[in-house]
Amino acid sequence: MSASMTEIRWHGRGGQGAKTACLLLADAAFASGKYVQGFPEYGPERMGAPITAYNRISDVPCTIHSNIYAPDYVVVVDESLLSSVDVTAGLKEVGALVINSAKAPASLRPLLRGWTGRVGVIDARRISEEHLGGYFPNTPMLSAIVQVSRVLDPGRFIADMEASFRHKFATKPQVIQGNMNCLIQSMKEVRLA
């Protein structure tokens, strides 16, 4: 991980919001004065099919325009992907893997193909169902990766996301508060090992 650029790869399934979370992270980074890239990798995806998305966040202009092959951080929005996708491919040992799971990090290690770096877990299902009334894992996962990576100042991130939600959901205040509660609770609950 260079001092000026952080690369994040997202793994999820179509319809879970990995692409949306990736783009929200790019928006929040841009709002805090960073240079950003946020983009999905498309193939013949359909609802439930594995998808990949990418973020580059930098203090200086970024001239790289490719997928991310050696990420600093990886976010896994759907734990079931651990058995079918090599989510740790190229992941730097000094970075971290953040997984949507209610399990302890140690119990997930056998699925990580020998990767020995830090593993974070967050129960995005429980948090989103509690605050949003349904399974929307992207908001908790977004907050968890900000907390683990510190790619953005967490306080500034929360303030920027609240401003973004107030604009996006101006006619749905209950959605704003639910999403804010998800973000804040996820930052408190993400566990690293």
Side-chain angles (χ1 to χ4, degrees):
M1 163 173 31
S2 94
S4 64
M5 182 166 39
T6 301
E7 295 182 316
I8 300 170
R9 187 173 65 216
W10 296 77
H11 292 280
R13 292 190 182 278
Q16 291 179 325
K19 173 187 151 190
T20 300
C22 168
L23 298 178
L24 283 170
L25 179 57
D27 287 347
F30 181 78
S32 70
K34 304 276 188 181
Y35 293 92
V36 299
Q37 292 179 0
F39 55 98
E41 177 180 14
Y42 283 113
E45 279 81 8
R46 63 196 181 285
M47 191 69 94
I51 67 109
T52 310
Y54 306 93
N55 284 112
R56 282 192 180 91
I57 300 171
S58 179
D59 295 324
V60 297
C62 180
T63 57
I64 303 168
H65 299 285
S66 67
N67 289 349
I68 294 172
Y69 301 103
D72 301 296
Y73 299 93
V74 168
V75 182
V76 180
V77 181
D78 189 313
E79 176 185 347
S80 72
L81 291 171
L82 296 177
S83 59
S84 60
V85 175
D86 185 2
V87 298
T88 60
L91 178 57
K92 296 174 184 169
E93 291 289 331
V94 296
L97 178 67
V98 179
I99 304 166
N100 173 12
S101 178
K103 297 175 184 167
S107 69
L108 298 171
R109 283 216 182 264
L111 300 171
L112 303 183
R113 304 175 191 215
W115 192 76
T116 59
R118 297 180 306 152
V119 176
V121 294
I122 185 72
D123 189 349
R125 175 179 293 278
R126 179 184 51 76
I127 292 170
S128 68
E129 287 177 349
E130 183 178 317
H131 294 293
L132 298 172
Y135 183 42
F136 305 103
N138 57 340
T139 301
M141 296 308 294
L142 171 61
S143 188
I145 192 58
V146 168
Q147 181 69 12
V148 168
S149 69
R150 295 297 175 141
V151 68
L152 300 174
D153 173 75
R156 170 83 190 261
F157 166 74
I158 292 293
D160 288 344
M161 289 307 299
E162 184 167 12
S164 174
F165 289 151
R166 287 198 184 288
H167 175 73
K168 186 182 251 182
F169 302 115
T171 61
K172 300 177 183 176
Q174 72 283 4
V175 174
I176 298 167
Q177 195 54 55
N179 275 287
M180 292 309 300
N181 291 343
C182 278
L183 292 173
I184 293 165
Q185 186 170 343
S186 296
M187 280 194 164
K188 291 176 183 172
E189 289 190 17
V190 65
R191 298 179 320 233
L192 264 178

